[in-house]
Amino acid sequence: MNLKLDETSALNYKSNSQKIRVMSELWLAKNLFCPCCGNSHIDKMKNNLPVADIRCKNCGEIFELKSKKNNFGVKIPDGAYQTMIERITGNLNPQLFVMCYSANFSVTDLVFVPKFFFTPDLIEKRKPLAGNAKRHGWTGCNILYEKIPDQGKIAIIRDGLETNAEKVLTQYEQIKSLQTNNLNFRGWMLDVLNCINELKTEYFTLKDIYLFKDFLKSRHNSNINIEAKIRQQLQFLRDKGIVEFVERGKYRRKI
């Protein structure tokens, strides 16, 4: 895999954002396999489509690409807020690639985030553009990248090193069963998953997760039985192979 972006492909563009968009999308189309089905090639779509940048002709999955210089950070700027919310709530959002590149336009990191790891809570509304702006009133958004559980960040390239394609496909296969169109259930699942990850241990207890009750209550204040909901989510994650039930009140994180 050639990690260098082709600077000559963007010679006809003036703004840096346009140049990076063209260079990064072309790089994906030339170098990347589909992380969902393993197809050796994915295709660049027509410019300025409202939903996605890349498509796999084999499985039909579509992908959006966000590129950043140096590192991902905690937030990733995206497009119109309302459009993004409508895509998530309508289960029409694409899969996401997040790319980081160096000052000399080499790809340093590429992460695949499956679409079922998104909820409206992960989308931050930005301030509308000021009245003197060309598109005044337009309201953009940020993806709160830091709040996406680690299991939903599949590294294809990490610190300039490629991950074996089979490993990427295996990781996706392991978490694919977490897909659900029920946004409330999805939100609970991702929040509990983040709590498990926060413990940073392989083994944990039910009491360990109960320590996050206040946090979970603040996220789901309409629910009056937080502990029961925690147990429900742990059972779901156990059934999907994400955690393992060891003994009464004790679990092991598998992924």
Side-chain angles (χ1 to χ4, degrees), residues 178-241:
L178 297 180
Q179 294 185 78
T180 172
N181 289 338
N182 186 321
L183 285 175
N184 180 59
F185 189 92
R186 187 192 301 175
W188 263 104
M189 176 192 67
L190 298 181
D191 284 341
V192 170
L193 199 51
N194 270 329
C195 293
I196 294 171
N197 294 338
E198 188 69 22
L199 295 171
K200 302 186 187 304
T201 57
E202 181 180 0
Y203 291 90
F204 63 94
T205 67
L206 187 57
K207 289 183 178 179
D208 290 332
I209 306 301
Y210 282 168
L211 294 176
F212 294 93
K213 282 194 301 183
D214 289 344
F215 163 74
L216 293 169
K217 178 65 175 176
S218 69
R219 297 276 291 167
H220 307 273
N221 54 27
S222 63
N223 193 292
I224 60 174
N225 200 339
I226 301 298
E227 291 186 358
K229 200 69 177 179
I230 289 173
R231 293 192 298 271
Q232 179 199 56
Q233 293 304 314
L234 287 175
Q235 181 176 333
F236 176 78
L237 293 171
R238 180 203 65 189
D239 293 344
K240 299 303 181 182

Short mmCIF file of all heavy atoms in Angstrom, two decimals, residues 178-241:
data_model
loop_
_atom_site.label_atom_id
_atom_site.label_comp_id
_atom_site.label_asym_id
_atom_site.label_seq_id
_atom_site.Cartn_x
_atom_site.Cartn_y
_atom_site.Cartn_z
N LEU A 178 -23.73 -6.03 16.68
CA LEU A 178 -24.23 -4.97 17.55
C LEU A 178 -25.20 -4.04 16.83
O LEU A 178 -25.78 -3.15 17.45
CB LEU A 178 -23.05 -4.14 18.10
CG LEU A 178 -22.06 -4.88 19.00
CD1 LEU A 178 -20.96 -3.92 19.46
CD2 LEU A 178 -22.76 -5.48 20.21
N GLN A 179 -25.38 -4.23 15.54
CA GLN A 179 -26.28 -3.36 14.78
C GLN A 179 -27.70 -3.43 15.32
O GLN A 179 -28.24 -4.51 15.55
CB GLN A 179 -26.30 -3.77 13.31
CG GLN A 179 -24.99 -3.56 12.59
CD GLN A 179 -25.10 -3.86 11.11
OE1 GLN A 179 -25.62 -3.05 10.35
NE2 GLN A 179 -24.62 -5.01 10.69
N THR A 180 -28.31 -2.28 15.51
CA THR A 180 -29.71 -2.18 15.88
C THR A 180 -30.24 -0.84 15.40
O THR A 180 -29.54 0.18 15.47
CB THR A 180 -29.93 -2.31 17.40
OG1 THR A 180 -31.30 -2.02 17.71
CG2 THR A 180 -29.05 -1.34 18.19
N ASN A 181 -31.47 -0.84 14.90
CA ASN A 181 -32.09 0.40 14.44
C ASN A 181 -32.80 1.14 15.57
O ASN A 181 -33.29 2.25 15.37
CB ASN A 181 -33.09 0.11 13.31
CG ASN A 181 -32.40 -0.30 12.03
OD1 ASN A 181 -31.23 0.01 11.82
ND2 ASN A 181 -33.10 -1.01 11.17
N ASN A 182 -32.87 0.52 16.75
CA ASN A 182 -33.47 1.16 17.92
C ASN A 182 -32.45 2.11 18.53
O ASN A 182 -31.49 1.69 19.20
CB ASN A 182 -33.90 0.10 18.92
CG ASN A 182 -34.65 0.68 20.10
OD1 ASN A 182 -34.32 1.75 20.61
ND2 ASN A 182 -35.67 -0.03 20.55
N LEU A 183 -32.62 3.41 18.30
CA LEU A 183 -31.61 4.38 18.73
C LEU A 183 -31.49 4.47 20.24
O LEU A 183 -30.39 4.70 20.76
CB LEU A 183 -31.93 5.76 18.14
CG LEU A 183 -31.63 5.93 16.65
CD1 LEU A 183 -32.10 7.30 16.18
CD2 LEU A 183 -30.13 5.77 16.38
N ASN A 184 -32.59 4.30 20.96
CA ASN A 184 -32.52 4.34 22.41
C ASN A 184 -31.69 3.17 22.94
O ASN A 184 -30.82 3.34 23.80
CB ASN A 184 -33.92 4.31 23.02
CG ASN A 184 -33.89 4.35 24.53
OD1 ASN A 184 -33.38 5.30 25.14
ND2 ASN A 184 -34.44 3.32 25.17
N PHE A 185 -31.95 1.98 22.41
CA PHE A 185 -31.19 0.81 22.81
C PHE A 185 -29.73 0.96 22.42
O PHE A 185 -28.82 0.62 23.19
CB PHE A 185 -31.78 -0.44 22.16
CG PHE A 185 -31.21 -1.73 22.68
CD1 PHE A 185 -31.81 -2.39 23.73
CD2 PHE A 185 -30.07 -2.29 22.11
CE1 PHE A 185 -31.29 -3.58 24.22
CE2 PHE A 185 -29.53 -3.47 22.59
CZ PHE A 185 -30.15 -4.12 23.65
N ARG A 186 -29.48 1.49 21.23
CA ARG A 186 -28.11 1.69 20.76
C ARG A 186 -27.35 2.65 21.67
O ARG A 186 -26.19 2.42 22.02
CB ARG A 186 -28.10 2.21 19.32
CG ARG A 186 -26.71 2.29 18.71
CD ARG A 186 -26.72 3.07 17.41
NE ARG A 186 -27.60 2.50 16.41
CZ ARG A 186 -27.85 3.07 15.23
NH1 ARG A 186 -27.30 4.23 14.93
NH2 ARG A 186 -28.67 2.49 14.38
N GLY A 187 -28.04 3.73 22.08
CA GLY A 187 -27.41 4.69 22.96
C GLY A 187 -27.02 4.08 24.29
O GLY A 187 -25.92 4.32 24.81
N TRP A 188 -27.92 3.27 24.86
CA TRP A 188 -27.62 2.58 26.12
C TRP A 188 -26.44 1.63 25.94
O TRP A 188 -25.51 1.59 26.76
CB TRP A 188 -28.84 1.78 26.58
CG TRP A 188 -29.65 2.50 27.61
CD1 TRP A 188 -30.84 3.14 27.43
CD2 TRP A 188 -29.32 2.64 29.00
NE1 TRP A 188 -31.26 3.68 28.61
CE2 TRP A 188 -30.37 3.38 29.59
CE3 TRP A 188 -28.26 2.21 29.79
CZ2 TRP A 188 -30.36 3.71 30.94
CZ3 TRP A 188 -28.25 2.53 31.14
CH2 TRP A 188 -29.30 3.27 31.70
N MET A 189 -26.45 0.86 24.87
CA MET A 189 -25.38 -0.11 24.63
C MET A 189 -24.02 0.57 24.52
O MET A 189 -23.04 0.15 25.14
CB MET A 189 -25.68 -0.87 23.34
CG MET A 189 -24.57 -1.84 22.93
SD MET A 189 -24.81 -2.46 21.25
CE MET A 189 -24.57 -0.97 20.27
N LEU A 190 -23.95 1.66 23.75
CA LEU A 190 -22.68 2.35 23.57
C LEU A 190 -22.21 3.01 24.86
O LEU A 190 -21.01 3.03 25.15
CB LEU A 190 -22.81 3.38 22.44
CG LEU A 190 -23.14 2.82 21.05
CD1 LEU A 190 -23.22 3.94 20.03
CD2 LEU A 190 -22.12 1.77 20.62
N ASP A 191 -23.15 3.53 25.64
CA ASP A 191 -22.77 4.15 26.92
C ASP A 191 -22.22 3.11 27.88
O ASP A 191 -21.21 3.33 28.56
CB ASP A 191 -23.96 4.88 27.54
CG ASP A 191 -24.25 6.20 26.86
OD1 ASP A 191 -23.35 6.73 26.18
OD2 ASP A 191 -25.38 6.71 27.00
N VAL A 192 -22.87 1.95 27.98
CA VAL A 192 -22.38 0.89 28.87
C VAL A 192 -21.04 0.37 28.36
O VAL A 192 -20.12 0.09 29.15
CB VAL A 192 -23.42 -0.24 28.98
CG1 VAL A 192 -22.82 -1.46 29.70
CG2 VAL A 192 -24.65 0.25 29.73
N LEU A 193 -20.88 0.28 27.05
CA LEU A 193 -19.62 -0.16 26.48
C LEU A 193 -18.50 0.82 26.85
O LEU A 193 -17.38 0.41 27.19
CB LEU A 193 -19.77 -0.28 24.96
CG LEU A 193 -18.75 -1.12 24.19
CD1 LEU A 193 -18.58 -2.50 24.80
CD2 LEU A 193 -19.18 -1.23 22.73
N ASN A 194 -18.80 2.11 26.80
CA ASN A 194 -17.80 3.10 27.20
C ASN A 194 -17.45 2.98 28.68
O ASN A 194 -16.29 3.17 29.07
CB ASN A 194 -18.32 4.51 26.90
CG ASN A 194 -17.93 5.00 25.51
OD1 ASN A 194 -16.89 4.62 24.98
ND2 ASN A 194 -18.78 5.82 24.91
N CYS A 195 -18.44 2.64 29.50
CA CYS A 195 -18.17 2.45 30.94
C CYS A 195 -17.24 1.26 31.15
O CYS A 195 -16.31 1.33 31.97
CB CYS A 195 -19.48 2.23 31.69
SG CYS A 195 -20.56 3.67 31.74
N ILE A 196 -17.48 0.18 30.42
CA ILE A 196 -16.60 -0.99 30.51
C ILE A 196 -15.18 -0.62 30.10
O ILE A 196 -14.20 -0.98 30.77
CB ILE A 196 -17.15 -2.13 29.63
CG1 ILE A 196 -18.48 -2.64 30.18
CG2 ILE A 196 -16.14 -3.28 29.54
CD1 ILE A 196 -19.20 -3.61 29.26
N ASN A 197 -15.07 0.11 29.00
CA ASN A 197 -13.75 0.51 28.52
C ASN A 197 -13.03 1.42 29.50
O ASN A 197 -11.80 1.39 29.63
CB ASN A 197 -13.88 1.22 27.16
CG ASN A 197 -14.36 0.29 26.06
OD1 ASN A 197 -14.23 -0.92 26.16
ND2 ASN A 197 -14.92 0.87 25.01
N GLU A 198 -13.81 2.26 30.20
CA GLU A 198 -13.24 3.21 31.15
C GLU A 198 -12.53 2.48 32.29
O GLU A 198 -11.57 3.01 32.88
CB GLU A 198 -14.35 4.11 31.70
CG GLU A 198 -13.88 5.26 32.56
CD GLU A 198 -13.13 6.33 31.79
OE1 GLU A 198 -13.31 6.43 30.56
OE2 GLU A 198 -12.34 7.06 32.43
N LEU A 199 -12.96 1.27 32.61
CA LEU A 199 -12.34 0.50 33.70
C LEU A 199 -10.92 0.06 33.36
O LEU A 199 -10.10 -0.16 34.25
CB LEU A 199 -13.20 -0.72 34.02
CG LEU A 199 -14.60 -0.43 34.59
CD1 LEU A 199 -15.42 -1.71 34.66
CD2 LEU A 199 -14.51 0.23 35.95
N LYS A 200 -10.66 -0.11 32.06
CA LYS A 200 -9.31 -0.45 31.57
C LYS A 200 -8.78 -1.75 32.16
O LYS A 200 -7.57 -1.91 32.40
CB LYS A 200 -8.33 0.69 31.83
CG LYS A 200 -8.75 2.01 31.19
CD LYS A 200 -7.68 3.08 31.35
CE LYS A 200 -8.18 4.44 30.86
NZ LYS A 200 -8.65 4.41 29.47
N THR A 201 -9.66 -2.69 32.44
CA THR A 201 -9.26 -4.00 32.95
C THR A 201 -9.96 -5.09 32.14
O THR A 201 -11.04 -4.87 31.60
CB THR A 201 -9.64 -4.17 34.43
OG1 THR A 201 -11.05 -3.99 34.59
CG2 THR A 201 -8.88 -3.18 35.31
N GLU A 202 -9.33 -6.27 32.09
CA GLU A 202 -9.95 -7.37 31.37
C GLU A 202 -11.16 -7.90 32.12
O GLU A 202 -12.20 -8.19 31.53
CB GLU A 202 -8.93 -8.49 31.16
CG GLU A 202 -9.48 -9.68 30.39
CD GLU A 202 -8.44 -10.79 30.21
OE1 GLU A 202 -7.30 -10.62 30.68
OE2 GLU A 202 -8.80 -11.82 29.60
N TYR A 203 -11.03 -8.05 33.44
CA TYR A 203 -12.12 -8.56 34.27
C TYR A 203 -12.78 -7.40 35.02
O TYR A 203 -12.09 -6.47 35.46
CB TYR A 203 -11.60 -9.60 35.26
CG TYR A 203 -11.17 -10.88 34.60
CD1 TYR A 203 -9.84 -11.05 34.16
CD2 TYR A 203 -12.06 -11.93 34.41
CE1 TYR A 203 -9.44 -12.23 33.55
CE2 TYR A 203 -11.67 -13.12 33.80
CZ TYR A 203 -10.36 -13.25 33.37
OH TYR A 203 -9.97 -14.41 32.75
N PHE A 204 -14.08 -7.47 35.18
CA PHE A 204 -14.81 -6.44 35.92
C PHE A 204 -16.04 -7.06 36.53
O PHE A 204 -16.47 -8.16 36.15
CB PHE A 204 -15.17 -5.26 35.02
CG PHE A 204 -16.10 -5.60 33.90
CD1 PHE A 204 -17.48 -5.45 34.03
CD2 PHE A 204 -15.61 -6.08 32.69
CE1 PHE A 204 -18.35 -5.76 32.99
CE2 PHE A 204 -16.47 -6.41 31.63
CZ PHE A 204 -17.84 -6.25 31.79
N THR A 205 -16.63 -6.35 37.48
CA THR A 205 -17.81 -6.85 38.16
C THR A 205 -19.02 -5.97 37.87
O THR A 205 -18.88 -4.84 37.39
CB THR A 205 -17.60 -6.90 39.69
OG1 THR A 205 -17.48 -5.55 40.18
CG2 THR A 205 -16.34 -7.69 40.05
N LEU A 206 -20.18 -6.51 38.20
CA LEU A 206 -21.41 -5.74 38.05
C LEU A 206 -21.35 -4.49 38.92
O LEU A 206 -21.78 -3.41 38.51
CB LEU A 206 -22.60 -6.61 38.44
CG LEU A 206 -24.01 -6.05 38.20
CD1 LEU A 206 -24.21 -5.67 36.74
CD2 LEU A 206 -25.06 -7.05 38.63
N LYS A 207 -20.77 -4.62 40.12
CA LYS A 207 -20.64 -3.47 41.02
C LYS A 207 -19.77 -2.38 40.40
O LYS A 207 -20.00 -1.19 40.63
CB LYS A 207 -20.07 -3.91 42.36
CG LYS A 207 -21.04 -4.72 43.21
CD LYS A 207 -20.42 -5.06 44.57
CE LYS A 207 -21.41 -5.84 45.43
NZ LYS A 207 -20.82 -6.19 46.75
N ASP A 208 -18.75 -2.78 39.63
CA ASP A 208 -17.90 -1.80 38.95
C ASP A 208 -18.72 -0.94 38.00
O ASP A 208 -18.53 0.28 37.93
CB ASP A 208 -16.79 -2.51 38.15
CG ASP A 208 -15.75 -3.17 39.03
OD1 ASP A 208 -15.53 -2.69 40.16
OD2 ASP A 208 -15.17 -4.18 38.58
N ILE A 209 -19.63 -1.57 37.26
CA ILE A 209 -20.45 -0.83 36.31
C ILE A 209 -21.51 0.00 37.03
O ILE A 209 -21.86 1.11 36.58
CB ILE A 209 -21.10 -1.77 35.28
CG1 ILE A 209 -20.03 -2.64 34.60
CG2 ILE A 209 -21.86 -0.98 34.21
CD1 ILE A 209 -18.97 -1.85 33.87
N TYR A 210 -22.00 -0.49 38.16
CA TYR A 210 -22.96 0.28 38.95
C TYR A 210 -22.38 1.62 39.40
O TYR A 210 -23.12 2.57 39.67
CB TYR A 210 -23.41 -0.51 40.18
CG TYR A 210 -24.43 -1.59 39.92
CD1 TYR A 210 -24.73 -2.55 40.90
CD2 TYR A 210 -25.11 -1.68 38.70
CE1 TYR A 210 -25.66 -3.55 40.67
CE2 TYR A 210 -26.03 -2.68 38.46
CZ TYR A 210 -26.31 -3.62 39.45
OH TYR A 210 -27.25 -4.60 39.23
N LEU A 211 -21.06 1.72 39.49
CA LEU A 211 -20.42 2.97 39.89
C LEU A 211 -20.67 4.09 38.88
O LEU A 211 -20.48 5.27 39.19
CB LEU A 211 -18.91 2.77 40.07
CG LEU A 211 -18.48 1.85 41.22
CD1 LEU A 211 -16.95 1.67 41.21
CD2 LEU A 211 -18.93 2.41 42.56
N PHE A 212 -21.09 3.71 37.67
CA PHE A 212 -21.37 4.70 36.62
C PHE A 212 -22.84 5.08 36.58
O PHE A 212 -23.29 5.69 35.62
CB PHE A 212 -20.93 4.15 35.25
CG PHE A 212 -19.46 3.94 35.09
CD1 PHE A 212 -18.88 2.70 35.37
CD2 PHE A 212 -18.64 4.97 34.66
CE1 PHE A 212 -17.52 2.50 35.22
CE2 PHE A 212 -17.28 4.79 34.50
CZ PHE A 212 -16.71 3.55 34.78
N LYS A 213 -23.60 4.73 37.62
CA LYS A 213 -25.05 4.97 37.61
C LYS A 213 -25.39 6.45 37.40
O LYS A 213 -26.31 6.78 36.65
CB LYS A 213 -25.69 4.48 38.91
CG LYS A 213 -25.90 2.98 38.98
CD LYS A 213 -26.82 2.60 40.13
CE LYS A 213 -26.27 3.05 41.47
NZ LYS A 213 -27.15 2.61 42.59
N ASP A 214 -24.68 7.33 38.09
CA ASP A 214 -24.98 8.76 37.95
C ASP A 214 -24.74 9.25 36.53
O ASP A 214 -25.52 10.04 35.99
CB ASP A 214 -24.15 9.57 38.95
CG ASP A 214 -24.60 9.37 40.38
OD1 ASP A 214 -25.72 8.86 40.59
OD2 ASP A 214 -23.82 9.70 41.31
N PHE A 215 -23.64 8.79 35.95
CA PHE A 215 -23.34 9.16 34.56
C PHE A 215 -24.43 8.67 33.63
O PHE A 215 -24.94 9.42 32.78
CB PHE A 215 -21.99 8.58 34.14
CG PHE A 215 -21.77 8.56 32.65
CD1 PHE A 215 -21.49 9.72 31.95
CD2 PHE A 215 -21.86 7.35 31.95
CE1 PHE A 215 -21.31 9.69 30.56
CE2 PHE A 215 -21.69 7.32 30.58
CZ PHE A 215 -21.41 8.49 29.88
N LEU A 216 -24.83 7.40 33.79
CA LEU A 216 -25.85 6.82 32.92
C LEU A 216 -27.21 7.48 33.14
O LEU A 216 -27.98 7.65 32.20
CB LEU A 216 -25.93 5.32 33.14
CG LEU A 216 -24.68 4.54 32.70
CD1 LEU A 216 -24.72 3.10 33.20
CD2 LEU A 216 -24.55 4.56 31.18
N LYS A 217 -27.49 7.85 34.38
CA LYS A 217 -28.74 8.56 34.67
C LYS A 217 -28.76 9.91 33.97
O LYS A 217 -29.80 10.34 33.44
CB LYS A 217 -28.89 8.74 36.19
CG LYS A 217 -30.14 9.49 36.61
CD LYS A 217 -31.41 8.75 36.25
CE LYS A 217 -32.64 9.45 36.77
NZ LYS A 217 -33.90 8.78 36.35
N SER A 218 -27.61 10.60 33.95
CA SER A 218 -27.55 11.90 33.28
C SER A 218 -27.73 11.77 31.77
O SER A 218 -28.22 12.68 31.12
CB SER A 218 -26.21 12.59 33.58
OG SER A 218 -25.13 11.92 32.95
N ARG A 219 -27.37 10.62 31.24
CA ARG A 219 -27.49 10.38 29.80
C ARG A 219 -28.89 9.89 29.43
O ARG A 219 -29.33 10.08 28.30
CB ARG A 219 -26.46 9.33 29.37
CG ARG A 219 -25.02 9.75 29.57
CD ARG A 219 -24.51 10.56 28.43
NE ARG A 219 -24.38 9.76 27.22
CZ ARG A 219 -24.19 10.28 26.02
NH1 ARG A 219 -24.14 11.59 25.86
NH2 ARG A 219 -24.06 9.50 24.96
N HIS A 220 -29.57 9.24 30.40
CA HIS A 220 -30.87 8.64 30.13
C HIS A 220 -31.80 8.96 31.30
O HIS A 220 -32.21 8.06 32.05
CB HIS A 220 -30.72 7.13 29.95
CG HIS A 220 -29.70 6.72 28.93
ND1 HIS A 220 -29.99 6.60 27.59
CD2 HIS A 220 -28.37 6.45 29.06
CE1 HIS A 220 -28.90 6.26 26.93
NE2 HIS A 220 -27.90 6.15 27.80
N ASN A 221 -32.11 10.24 31.46
CA ASN A 221 -32.83 10.67 32.67
C ASN A 221 -34.30 10.26 32.71
O ASN A 221 -34.95 10.43 33.74
CB ASN A 221 -32.70 12.20 32.85
CG ASN A 221 -33.13 12.97 31.62
OD1 ASN A 221 -33.95 12.49 30.85
ND2 ASN A 221 -32.55 14.14 31.43
N SER A 222 -34.82 9.70 31.64
CA SER A 222 -36.20 9.23 31.67
C SER A 222 -36.31 7.82 32.23
O SER A 222 -37.41 7.33 32.50
CB SER A 222 -36.81 9.27 30.27
OG SER A 222 -36.14 8.38 29.40
N ASN A 223 -35.17 7.15 32.40
CA ASN A 223 -35.17 5.79 32.91
C ASN A 223 -35.01 5.80 34.42
O ASN A 223 -34.07 6.41 34.96
CB ASN A 223 -34.03 4.98 32.27
CG ASN A 223 -34.17 3.50 32.52
OD1 ASN A 223 -34.04 3.03 33.64
ND2 ASN A 223 -34.44 2.74 31.46
N ILE A 224 -35.90 5.11 35.14
CA ILE A 224 -35.88 5.16 36.60
C ILE A 224 -35.24 3.91 37.20
O ILE A 224 -35.03 3.85 38.41
CB ILE A 224 -37.31 5.33 37.17
CG1 ILE A 224 -38.20 4.15 36.75
CG2 ILE A 224 -37.90 6.66 36.74
CD1 ILE A 224 -39.57 4.18 37.40
N ASN A 225 -34.91 2.94 36.39
CA ASN A 225 -34.31 1.70 36.90
C ASN A 225 -32.98 1.46 36.18
O ASN A 225 -32.88 0.60 35.31
CB ASN A 225 -35.25 0.51 36.73
CG ASN A 225 -34.89 -0.64 37.65
OD1 ASN A 225 -33.76 -0.73 38.13
ND2 ASN A 225 -35.84 -1.52 37.90
N ILE A 226 -31.98 2.23 36.56
CA ILE A 226 -30.69 2.21 35.88
C ILE A 226 -29.99 0.85 36.03
O ILE A 226 -29.43 0.33 35.07
CB ILE A 226 -29.78 3.33 36.43
CG1 ILE A 226 -30.45 4.70 36.24
CG2 ILE A 226 -28.42 3.30 35.73
CD1 ILE A 226 -30.70 5.08 34.81
N GLU A 227 -30.03 0.28 37.23
CA GLU A 227 -29.32 -0.98 37.46
C GLU A 227 -29.88 -2.11 36.59
O GLU A 227 -29.13 -2.91 36.04
CB GLU A 227 -29.37 -1.36 38.94
CG GLU A 227 -28.54 -0.43 39.82
CD GLU A 227 -28.48 -0.90 41.26
OE1 GLU A 227 -29.10 -1.94 41.58
OE2 GLU A 227 -27.80 -0.25 42.07
N ALA A 228 -31.20 -2.16 36.44
CA ALA A 228 -31.81 -3.18 35.59
C ALA A 228 -31.39 -2.99 34.13
O ALA A 228 -31.16 -3.96 33.40
CB ALA A 228 -33.33 -3.13 35.71
N LYS A 229 -31.29 -1.73 33.72
CA LYS A 229 -30.89 -1.45 32.34
C LYS A 229 -29.43 -1.84 32.11
O LYS A 229 -29.08 -2.35 31.04
CB LYS A 229 -31.09 0.04 32.05
CG LYS A 229 -31.18 0.36 30.57
CD LYS A 229 -32.46 -0.18 29.95
CE LYS A 229 -32.58 0.21 28.49
NZ LYS A 229 -33.80 -0.32 27.87
N ILE A 230 -28.59 -1.62 33.11
CA ILE A 230 -27.19 -2.03 33.01
C ILE A 230 -27.11 -3.54 32.83
O ILE A 230 -26.39 -4.05 31.96
CB ILE A 230 -26.41 -1.60 34.27
CG1 ILE A 230 -26.23 -0.07 34.29
CG2 ILE A 230 -25.04 -2.30 34.31
CD1 ILE A 230 -25.62 0.45 35.57
N ARG A 231 -27.88 -4.28 33.63
CA ARG A 231 -27.86 -5.74 33.53
C ARG A 231 -28.35 -6.21 32.16
O ARG A 231 -27.82 -7.15 31.57
CB ARG A 231 -28.71 -6.36 34.65
CG ARG A 231 -28.14 -6.15 36.04
CD ARG A 231 -28.84 -7.03 37.07
NE ARG A 231 -30.26 -6.72 37.19
CZ ARG A 231 -30.77 -5.82 38.03
NH1 ARG A 231 -29.96 -5.11 38.81
NH2 ARG A 231 -32.08 -5.62 38.10
N GLN A 232 -29.38 -5.52 31.65
CA GLN A 232 -29.88 -5.86 30.31
C GLN A 232 -28.80 -5.68 29.25
O GLN A 232 -28.63 -6.53 28.37
CB GLN A 232 -31.08 -4.97 29.97
CG GLN A 232 -31.66 -5.22 28.59
CD GLN A 232 -32.52 -4.06 28.09
OE1 GLN A 232 -32.05 -2.92 28.02
NE2 GLN A 232 -33.77 -4.35 27.76
N GLN A 233 -28.08 -4.58 29.33
CA GLN A 233 -27.05 -4.31 28.33
C GLN A 233 -25.88 -5.27 28.45
O GLN A 233 -25.30 -5.70 27.44
CB GLN A 233 -26.57 -2.86 28.45
CG GLN A 233 -27.61 -1.82 28.09
CD GLN A 233 -28.16 -2.03 26.70
OE1 GLN A 233 -27.43 -2.25 25.75
NE2 GLN A 233 -29.49 -1.98 26.57
N LEU A 234 -25.51 -5.64 29.65
CA LEU A 234 -24.43 -6.61 29.83
C LEU A 234 -24.83 -7.97 29.27
O LEU A 234 -24.00 -8.67 28.67
CB LEU A 234 -24.07 -6.73 31.32
CG LEU A 234 -23.32 -5.55 31.92
CD1 LEU A 234 -23.14 -5.74 33.43
CD2 LEU A 234 -21.96 -5.36 31.25
N GLN A 235 -26.09 -8.33 29.43
CA GLN A 235 -26.58 -9.59 28.86
C GLN A 235 -26.53 -9.53 27.33
O GLN A 235 -26.13 -10.50 26.67
CB GLN A 235 -28.00 -9.87 29.32
CG GLN A 235 -28.56 -11.18 28.78
CD GLN A 235 -29.94 -11.50 29.33
OE1 GLN A 235 -30.29 -11.08 30.42
NE2 GLN A 235 -30.73 -12.23 28.56
N PHE A 236 -26.92 -8.39 26.76
CA PHE A 236 -26.87 -8.21 25.31
C PHE A 236 -25.43 -8.32 24.81
O PHE A 236 -25.15 -9.03 23.84
CB PHE A 236 -27.46 -6.85 24.93
CG PHE A 236 -27.36 -6.53 23.46
CD1 PHE A 236 -28.24 -7.08 22.55
CD2 PHE A 236 -26.38 -5.67 23.00
CE1 PHE A 236 -28.15 -6.78 21.19
CE2 PHE A 236 -26.27 -5.36 21.65
CZ PHE A 236 -27.16 -5.93 20.74
N LEU A 237 -24.51 -7.62 25.48
CA LEU A 237 -23.10 -7.65 25.08
C LEU A 237 -22.51 -9.05 25.26
O LEU A 237 -21.65 -9.47 24.49
CB LEU A 237 -22.30 -6.62 25.88
CG LEU A 237 -22.64 -5.15 25.59
CD1 LEU A 237 -21.95 -4.23 26.59
CD2 LEU A 237 -22.25 -4.76 24.16
N ARG A 238 -22.99 -9.78 26.27
CA ARG A 238 -22.55 -11.16 26.46
C ARG A 238 -23.04 -12.03 25.30
O ARG A 238 -22.29 -12.82 24.73
CB ARG A 238 -23.11 -11.70 27.78
CG ARG A 238 -22.71 -13.16 28.07
CD ARG A 238 -23.69 -13.79 29.03
NE ARG A 238 -25.02 -13.92 28.44
CZ ARG A 238 -26.10 -14.29 29.12
NH1 ARG A 238 -26.03 -14.52 30.41
NH2 ARG A 238 -27.28 -14.40 28.49
N ASP A 239 -24.32 -11.87 24.94
CA ASP A 239 -24.90 -12.67 23.86
C ASP A 239 -24.22 -12.40 22.52
O ASP A 239 -24.19 -13.27 21.64
CB ASP A 239 -26.40 -12.41 23.75
CG ASP A 239 -27.18 -12.91 24.96
OD1 ASP A 239 -26.62 -13.72 25.73
OD2 ASP A 239 -28.33 -12.47 25.13
N LYS A 240 -23.70 -11.19 22.35
CA LYS A 240 -23.05 -10.81 21.09
C LYS A 240 -21.54 -11.08 21.11
O LYS A 240 -20.84 -10.77 20.15
CB LYS A 240 -23.29 -9.32 20.80
CG LYS A 240 -24.77 -8.96 20.65
CD LYS A 240 -25.45 -9.77 19.56
CE LYS A 240 -26.91 -9.38 19.40
NZ LYS A 240 -27.59 -10.20 18.36
N GLY A 241 -21.04 -11.65 22.20
CA GLY A 241 -19.64 -12.03 22.25
C GLY A 241 -18.67 -10.91 22.57
O GLY A 241 -17.45 -11.07 22.40
#
